[in-house]
Amino acid sequence: LGEPSGPPLPTPVQARAMSAVAAVTAPESAAAAAASVAAVVEAPHAPDLPAPFDGSAPWRAYGLRGQSHYVILFYQYTDIKDAEAEAHDQNAKCEELGLLGRLLVSSEGLNGSMCGTVAAIERYVGWMRAREAFVDTDWKGSTSDEQCFGDLHVRVVKEIIATGNAVKPPHEGDAEPEGEELAPEVFHERLSKELASGSPGSDWVLLDCRNENESAVGTFEGALRVPMRSFAEFPKWTADHAEELKGKRVMMFCTGGIRCRKGSAIVNKFGEPADVVQLRGGIHRYLETFPTGGLWRGRNFVFDKRQSLAPPSCDRPLPSEAAADGSEAHSRAGAPSGTAAAAAADAAGAAPAAAGEGGVYGRCHKCERPWEEFSGRDVCQVCRFLLLVCPDCRKAERGLFWCHNHTAMEGVYMRYLDDSTPEELAAQRDALDAMHAAINTGRRLKNKRRTLARQCARIDERLAALADGSATVAPRATMHPCPTCAELSCAGDCWGFWSSKLECQREKGLLRARDELYVLESKHDE
């Protein structure tokens, strides 16, 4: 979050104490204020209670330190009788307050993250808390120097966390049983004991229930990073690995807790574990409780322009931020080989967890060099899945990358065709035709066939233009245009939820519809 511009960051208890002092109206003496502080400090901290939301005092661990904006993360499972009307009201209120972000509305509840000025966020939270269904909503907050969303997107969906209706919403009476929610302190204690007892996988397992690109920059020590692109794939993964989960003690976590609510029910339904527990409030609440990181390694991925957050007490900027303000580059030391952390990460198919406070967990997609900053330019040529790529590899590869799901298309499926010769285009066409022929039966692979057919059509169109002279082969590009917006000068800020240019691109016709660009291959998404 950068160098603090104010006094040292108070602890959560101190923050609550400050709020108590502010609530004392016209105290008769300093003793009265001191008594109020003492009453709060002596009371045990209850992490499951909503954090005090007062712009005059820091909000939890991620308090204001000169920043102008709050970012809130929240969800609530509750019956919404008219999702369309709720979405309309939410959109109107956010526009009124100048809030930007993402909000999913369903008959089963709300799931959102939004950013605005301190005053605007306070008014929104107050408006929501005035409604009975959202009195107990767990509002998680952090700060930003600026607006970190490019637009406001309120959307009605079937589920606020997509599972293909594998399980019912947890608030329904006949829903599948969830795993027990553990407060961060209890989760930390249990994980510490499990790590001390032996390597994960024997009789216990810790599941990271986030997407691959999220867990690429940080996770808990000993975690198994579930290889998935969206949570919709989790039910199938659980069913496929049911035998490995059977009879084991399962611990689970995600960013803010919402995915584990359904995820733990899915594990109970398909995995037959001995026990399932989940981290209450997710990584966000854990890092508030353990601001130096605790058993966390790396950074916490967030769904806005900040990309990821270091633990609150570890003010480690991303490389681009460090370069901008002239600060010293941060440590890139990885976990020593042979350590328990490295062995656990290797077993999960991930890079070793970073050793100690300030280490870098992430690894470049190409060279596996320690790296932790994403760019919207570094996406798969086929599906535009976000990849972690260092600057050296970006330059060496001319911005051309393929994810693990599409390595077979490396070098033959490219969005930018202008600098390919007719011979190169014909070779690409032949390779894609062979791939199409190999999967030319069965409904399950229809999306892959459609993707291949569209690329072949693009190549045919380009070959025809070269043949009739209406186009010529462009000079070999030292850097290919951005795969998302097709602009050579794009700095990567047009990708997904970072985009501040998305509507402009659509108006200019530079982006086709999302379902034409992003091929989702899970059974649920098909």
Side-chain angles (χ1 to χ4, degrees), residues 16 19 46-55 59-60 70 72-76 86 90 93 97 110 114 120-141 285:
R16 293 165 63 233
S19 296
D48 55 332
L49 295 177
F53 203 92
D54 182 356
W59 188 27
R60 288 281 187 169
Y70 266 143
I72 52 173
L73 175 70
F74 68 98
Y75 74 90
Q76 182 68 55
E86 179 68 29
Q90 290 285 340
K93 176 58 69 173
L97 298 175
L110 302 182
M114 287 180 285
I121 290 291
E122 286 182 328
R123 287 179 61 190
Y124 177 79
V125 172
W127 175 69
M128 289 288 285
R129 281 182 169 172
R131 304 169 61 185
E132 183 178 355
F134 302 98
V135 169
D136 297 326
T137 299
D138 182 16
W139 301 92
K140 304 169 187 72
R285 285 283 184 246

Side-chain angles (χ1 to χ4, degrees), residues 208-210 252-260 279 281-284:
D208 188 334
C209 297
R210 302 171 301 154
M252 306 176 65
F253 66 92
C254 58
T255 305
I258 183 172
R259 282 176 275 195
C260 286
L279 175 57
I283 301 162
H284 193 106

Side-chain angles (χ1 to χ4, degrees), residues 387-417:
L387 302 172
L388 199 58
V389 179
C390 72
D392 291 343
C393 287
R394 182 183 305 126
K395 182 178 180 180
E397 301 295 330
R398 301 189 299 148
L400 297 173
F401 304 103
W402 291 264
C403 69
H404 296 303
N405 285 4
H406 296 113
T407 52
M409 299 186 191
E410 184 169 349
V412 299
Y413 190 112
M414 291 179 287
R415 293 185 176 276
Y416 183 69
L417 301 175

Side-chain angles (χ1 to χ4, degrees), residues 106 148 199 218 232 246 306 414 443 455 508:
S106 165
C148 57
S199 300
K246 187 175 182 180
R306 297 170 300 170
M414 291 179 287
R443 184 176 180 183
Q455 184 67 4
K508 291 180 179 179

Side-chain angles (χ1 to χ4, degrees), residues 305-361:
K305 292 180 182 179
R306 297 170 300 170
Q307 296 193 14
S308 61
L309 301 178
S313 294
C314 304
D315 287 318
R316 187 178 79 246
L318 288 169
S320 62
E321 297 168 339
D325 63 20
S327 58
E328 186 177 348
H330 54 261
S331 166
R332 288 177 179 162
S337 61
T339 63
D346 289 339
E357 187 176 314
V360 174
Y361 176 86

